Each structure stands twice: as structure tokens, then as C-alpha cells.
């Protein structure tokens, strides 16, 4: 459930030793997410981290605000390390994602001297460990997982993670597919179409399909239930409540309700229509060209596999993107998946643009 107050330690002094071992004049504090200069500086650090890890930067202040804004702090906590001039040189953010799973953002300025950068990194990890114990205790757990990521070519980050007791557990292909204007005709209507007994449709909206009203709650619950069922046996699956799921996805800067689709099939015996697949999409905004669409989640229940549900949902978001004048659709796929999930993506034109990794550490809760 979404707590009234988050489960983390809000004061870094309560999560770190009295002397964190930084050079004279360096301080550790919680950042002010309402301060525009602080948010811009964090975005600058994030962009530098991306450029060093994959060669180009794509994030901005919207991605930072997800972590540090007042709304985000219901399930998150942040810490920064400032140099004697008050410049933020390191940033850590933790996200109480689901029971037993805590996400960590760990970024250190590339311009900092190596020895000081090592100490900043260690401070972020020490703070994250204390936060893992706090959130794990609040949830009544014996062990709390810290889940963090790294670009595949970021050797500095890999060395820090390994030294802090993290283990690389998974590799992810970040894939993209170009979209042509003519592909707007790929399906009859992205809002609703049918193929071989499967209906693909947008989640319904209060006030009708042409309204800007909130989505129908029953449809949102159907999307959640399909994704929970589809990913039960997938790597690092953690049960997420409906409230946590909706709260988290609404924080995404690219969130749009008109990018959520359901696939439904009729039961041959009863004729009752049941959800069989779901796709949650979002917008990948660009400051230099057309926007893109992104497949945040695509899931198909095991009982419906082999009926073209996944390919139908993918064709739907491609056609939708083309109709909006977008030039690409991105997604992430588990490179180590035993199901060979990447096969459908490569067959439909997706290619890998860069590679990321998941690193985990289990923290005993005392």
C-alpha cells in the first residue's frame, strides 16, 4: 500500500556515521526538490552519467522530479553530497518499489578526483544500506533487496558495485524500432480492432472513448492483473499492489492514459470476454526531433499465448505512434530470458541500441 509517510529515514544524519569520511567542507544532506537550481544540477549529473555510460544523454529535469518532487517522496528518499562551494557532486535516490525490492540511483560527478569520488560512492552505498534496513523493517522483512542498474560499458560503476557487495544478475537490451508514416495503417484503428477472435482496445475512459476523463477502474485493474499474472515466473518478479502500480506509473514523465491497451478473448465455452494481454505505453519526448513511443510493459497470460496477442499489441502501438507523427518505438527486453522473448521484437524490426545491467545486494534487516 501507499503509506501516509514514506518508510525511509528522512534525515541523512540518522542513516550515516557522524563522520562519513569526506574531505573537510564536504557535506551530506537531503536535497530540496522544490529548488529549481538543485533540480537542474541533478539533471546535469544524470546527463553526465548517461553520456559516460552509453555515449549520449536523454534525461532532463522531468526525470529528476520523479525522484525528488513532493509527490515522489511518498515512496522515495534522496541524498546529495556537496563540495565546499556548495556544488552537488553525488546523488543517491532510493525507491520503495514493492515489498522486498528497493531501487537505488547512484551517481557521482565524473569531474571529481578519483579518491574523493570513491568516498562519495561509499557514502551513497552506506546510506542506501541504512535505508534498505529502514524500509525492510517497516515492511516486516528479514532481508531487503537493493536493486540498482549500470550501463554495460561503465567500468567505474561496475568496480564500485562489486566492491560494495553487489552482484551482476541480469543483462537488458534497450531496443528501438523506427516508425514510418504509412504504418498508421498497420491496424484498422489503434483504439479498437479485432483479429482472429482477439479484440485489441484502449482502456475505457469515464465519459466515453472520446473524453479526457479518468480511465475506467475495472480496466486499470484488468491491466494490473494481466501483468501480475504474466510476469509471475519472470526474473526478480515482486508482487506490487494495484495502488503501488498506478501510483508509480503515473509518476512517469511520459505517462498518458491513452497509451494503455487491453487484449481480450472470448471463452469458447461460455462466450465471456476475458483480458488476455496488456500493453502500457508512454511518450519518449525529444527536444531535437519527433517524439517516440515506449513500451513500458507488455504481458500476455500463459493461457492466451500462441494466439498473436503480443504481436497484435505491438502492431497497435506502432500504428498509434505513426498516427501521432512519431518516428520510433522503444522497449526493454531481458537478454537472459529463457523464453526467447527477443525473437518477436527482432522479427518485427527492433534492434538493440545499448545494453544495461541489473546489480543486486541483499541486506539483512536488523
Amino acid at each position: 500500500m501507499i503509506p501516509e509517510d514514506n518508510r525511509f529515514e528522512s534525515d541523512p544524519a540518522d542513516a550515516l556515521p557522524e563522520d562519513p569520511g569526506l574531505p573537510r567542507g564536504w557535506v551530506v544532506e537531503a536535497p530540496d526538490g522544490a529548488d529549481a537550481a538543485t533540480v537542474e544540477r541533478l539533471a546535469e549529473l544524470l546527463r553526465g552519467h548517461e553520456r559516460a555510460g552509453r555515449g549520449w544523454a536523454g534525461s532532463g529535469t522531468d526525470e529528476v522530479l520523479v525522484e525528488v518532487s513532493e509527490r515522489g517522496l511518498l515512496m522515495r528518499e534522496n541524498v546529495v553530497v556537496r563540495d565546499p562551494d556548495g556544488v552537488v557532486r553525488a546523488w543517491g535516490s532510493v525507491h520503495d518499489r514493492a515489498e522486498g525490492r528497493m531501487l537505488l540511483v547512484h551517481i557521482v560527478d565524473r569531474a571529481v578526483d578519483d579518491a574523493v569520488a570513491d568516498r562519495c560512492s561509499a557514502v551513497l552505498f552506506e546510506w542506501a544500506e541504512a535505508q534498505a534496513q529502514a524500509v525492510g523493517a517497516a515492511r516486516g522483512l528479514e532481508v531487503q533487496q537493493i536493486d540498482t542498474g549500470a550501463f554495460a560499458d561503465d567500468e567505474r560503476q561496475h568496480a564500485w558495485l562489486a566492491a560494495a557487495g553487489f552482484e551482476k544478475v541480469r543483462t537488458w537490451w534497450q531496443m528501438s524500432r523506427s516508425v514510418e508514416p504509412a504504418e498508421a495503417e498497420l491496424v484498422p484503428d489503434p483504439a479498437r480492432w479485432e483479429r482472429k477472435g482477439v479484440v485489441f482496445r484502449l482502456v475505457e475512459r469515464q465519459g466515453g472513448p472520446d473524453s479526457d476523463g479518468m480511465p475506467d477502474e475495472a480496466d486499470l485493474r484488468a491491466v494490473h492483473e494481466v501483468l501480475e499474472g504474466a510476469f509471475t515466473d519472470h526474473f526478480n518478479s515482486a508482487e506490487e499492489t494495484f495502488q503501488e502500480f498506478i501510483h508509480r506509473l503515473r509518476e512517469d514523465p511520459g505517462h498518458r492514459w491513452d497509451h494503455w491497451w487491453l487484449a481480450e478473448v472470448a471463452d469458447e465455452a461460455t462466450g465471456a470476454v476475458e483480458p488476455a494481454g496488456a500493453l502500457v505505453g508512454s511518450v519518449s519526448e525529444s527536444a531535437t526531433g519527433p517524439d517516440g513511443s515506449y513500451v513500458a510493459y507488455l504481458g500476455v497470460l500463459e493461457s492466451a499465448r500462441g494466439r498473436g496477442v503480443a504481436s497484435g499489441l505491438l502492431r497497435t502501438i506502432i500504428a498509434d505512434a505513426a498516427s501521432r507523427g512519431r518516428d520510433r518505438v522503444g522497449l526493454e527486453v531481458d537478454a537472459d530470458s529463457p523464453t526467447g522473448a527477443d525473437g518477436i521484437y527482432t522479427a518485427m524490426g527492433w534492434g538493440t541500441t545499448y545494453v544495461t545491467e541489473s546489480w543486486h545486494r541483499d541486506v539483512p534487516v536488523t
Side-chain angles (χ1 to χ4, degrees):
M1 300 295 290
I2 305 297
E4 292 184 8
D5 296 309
N6 80 26
R7 302 178 176 97
F8 295 115
E9 293 285 356
S10 60
D11 187 346
D14 293 331
L16 288 168
E18 184 175 347
D19 180 5
L22 291 164
R24 182 184 299 274
W26 289 63
V27 297
V28 183
E29 64 182 26
D32 180 1
D35 178 61
T38 296
V39 171
E40 182 55 44
R41 173 56 182 162
L42 295 179
E44 184 179 300
L45 281 178
L46 178 56
R47 288 191 291 266
H49 179 73
E50 291 174 337
R51 280 192 291 269
R54 69 181 178 196
W56 54 276
S59 296
T61 56
D62 285 344
E63 284 73 20
V64 171
L65 287 170
V66 170
E67 305 292 335
V68 303
S69 70
E70 184 176 357
R71 177 177 173 81
L73 292 181
L74 284 173
M75 301 290 283
R76 291 174 167 85
E77 195 59 65
N78 291 264
V79 71
V80 295
V81 181
R82 294 184 184 270
D83 68 14
D85 294 323
V87 178
V88 176
R89 297 298 187 178
W91 171 34
S93 179
V94 287
H95 178 191
D96 182 11
R97 166 70 182 271
E99 185 167 338
R101 185 181 181 196
M102 185 191 86
L103 305 189
L104 168 65
V105 173
H106 172 286
I107 298 174
V108 180
D109 191 347
R110 300 280 166 165
V112 175
D113 172 83
D114 286 349
V116 179
D118 288 345
R119 189 58 216 151
C120 287
S121 171
V123 167
L124 296 184
F125 284 132
E126 290 167 9
W127 174 81
E129 179 179 352
Q131 296 292 10
Q133 292 181 340
V135 74
R139 284 186 176 268
L141 304 177
E142 294 184 358
V143 176
Q144 175 68 53
Q145 178 195 94
I146 305 178
D147 178 354
T148 192
F151 294 108
D153 296 328
D154 192 343
E155 295 182 3
R156 185 181 80 159
Q157 199 80 355
H158 299 168
W160 281 341
L161 288 164
F166 285 77
E167 178 184 359
K168 187 179 80 170
V169 294
R170 215 66 170 184
T171 301
W172 305 90
W173 292 329
Q174 308 300 322
M175 307 183 82
S176 185
R177 179 198 189 278
S178 61
V179 172
E180 301 297 330
E183 290 181 308
E185 306 299 324
L186 198 58
V187 305
D189 184 354
R192 186 182 183 90
W193 66 286
E194 183 174 349
R195 182 180 69 177
K196 297 180 180 180
V198 182
V199 174
F200 303 91
R201 66 173 179 85
L202 287 169
V203 297
E204 294 183 358
R205 305 288 284 271
Q206 298 174 14
D210 297 325
S211 77
D212 292 328
M214 288 292 292
D216 178 73
E217 183 176 338
D219 272 4
L220 294 185
R221 289 189 177 275
V223 170
H224 174 249
E225 289 170 7
V226 166
L227 295 178
E228 284 289 307
F231 291 109
T232 297
D233 297 327
H234 283 222
F235 167 74
N236 206 38
S237 175
E239 184 176 353
E240 189 175 28
T241 68
F242 176 69
Q243 290 79 10
E244 289 172 335
F245 172 73
I246 295 297
H247 177 84
R248 177 172 58 82
L249 290 180
R250 288 184 70 180
E251 292 181 310
D252 185 337
H255 162 73
R256 304 288 189 278
W257 288 125
D258 60 354
H259 286 53
W260 290 49
W261 284 272
L262 275 168
E264 298 172 318
V265 299
D267 185 278
E268 295 181 358
T270 66
V273 176
E274 297 290 343
L279 188 153
V280 175
S282 61
V283 181
S284 297
E285 295 184 343
S286 173
T288 58
D291 292 340
S293 292
Y294 187 79
V295 180
Y297 288 97
L298 170 63
V300 179
L301 294 177
E302 186 175 3
S303 60
R305 291 172 188 168
R307 301 191 58 170
V309 175
S311 63
L313 287 166
L314 290 170
R315 289 166 68 90
T316 301
I317 195 171
I318 293 168
D320 179 79
S323 70
R324 297 175 187 269
R326 297 178 186 163
D327 67 352
R328 66 198 183 281
V329 176
L331 54 82
E332 175 185 81
V333 64
D334 183 351
D336 305 311
S337 172
T339 65
D342 60 296
I344 187 173
Y345 302 126
T346 55
M348 292 183 68
W350 270 272
T352 301
T353 54
Y354 63 99
V355 180
T356 59
E357 301 167 347
S358 288
W359 291 66
H360 288 179
R361 179 185 169 194
D362 288 337
V363 175
V365 177
T366 57

